[in-house]
Amino acid sequence: MIIRDGHLGDVPAVLAMFDSAVAWLTSQGRIGQWGSEPFSTDAARVESVTSWATSGGMRVAELDGRPAGCLVVGSAMPYVTPASEPELYVRGLVIDQRFHGRGVGSALLERARAEAVEREVALLRVDCYGGDDGRLVAYYESQGFTRTESFRVGDWPGQILEMRLPSARG
């Protein structure tokens, strides 16, 4: 697996990753996280992914030369409580379901950890869907994150998680 910086040319592949994840979630009756419609047909979501590609924070994991997952890091999302210290925020994480179970998500989160340490930032945060059976929250906990606060965006239940990292700033 290689992880490289993302660019505008990756937008169709990242949208396809989201489409595969939405289809997989929908097949399980789990539409609360991202709904049931493909990202590639939603203009606002296409715009978001395009913005990520130009933000400097997009990372794309490739397996066997094919895009397998995407991570986006940067500043905190506008709907969460700001941190009281410098942080790196996981703004997006998606895996193409063809590569499910091959460690793509773990590798991308490890990349986020490494980037935070390189930037001498001791706080890595992420938010995720906090509804249904809590499997997504449990996934992030299995990756070393700890729950902090719950929140809502309209009817959508979210969970913020954090990870403390070594920092030269102490």
Side-chain angles (χ1 to χ4, degrees):
M1 180 178 329
I2 65 160
I3 299 175
R4 60 171 175 77
D5 290 348
H7 52 76
L8 278 173
D10 292 313
V11 169
V14 174
L15 288 168
M17 291 174 200
F18 276 107
D19 289 353
S20 78
V22 167
W24 179 75
L25 288 166
T26 300
S27 74
Q28 297 183 10
R30 301 173 64 188
I31 61 170
Q33 181 175 341
W34 286 329
S36 59
E37 298 300 315
F39 272 44
S40 60
T41 62
D42 181 319
R45 288 181 160 163
V46 171
E47 184 178 326
S48 291
V49 172
T50 302
S51 173
W52 289 347
T54 61
S55 72
M58 180 186 274
R59 310 292 176 256
V60 175
E62 292 183 349
L63 274 172
D64 305 322
R66 296 183 300 168
C70 177
L71 164 79
V72 181
V73 294
S75 59
M77 301 302 284
Y79 51 79
V80 302
T81 304
S84 60
E85 64 186 274
E87 71 176 325
L88 185 63
Y89 203 92
V90 175
R91 296 178 63 89
L93 178 68
V94 65
I95 308 308
D96 185 317
Q97 289 304 297
R98 296 177 298 169
F99 299 95
H100 181 81
R102 297 192 52 196
V104 176
S106 296
L108 286 165
L109 289 172
E110 179 54 40
R111 172 68 177 260
R113 287 193 241 0
E115 287 191 33
V117 170
E118 287 169 15
R119 295 177 191 197
E120 298 184 344
V121 173
L123 179 62
L124 179 64
R125 289 198 307 165
V126 63
D127 71 79
C128 69
Y129 179 63
D132 294 333
D133 57 9
R135 285 172 56 187
L136 189 54
V137 173
Y139 170 76
Y140 283 110
E141 289 175 324
S142 77
Q143 296 297 310
F145 286 87
T146 303
R147 293 178 205 214
T148 57
E149 65 183 89
S150 299
F151 65 96
R152 291 189 92 74
V153 176
D155 291 334
W156 191 86
Q159 178 67 53
I160 300 172
L161 299 102
E162 72 177 23
M163 179 183 292
R164 293 276 164 196
L165 304 164
S167 169
R169 293 183 185 173

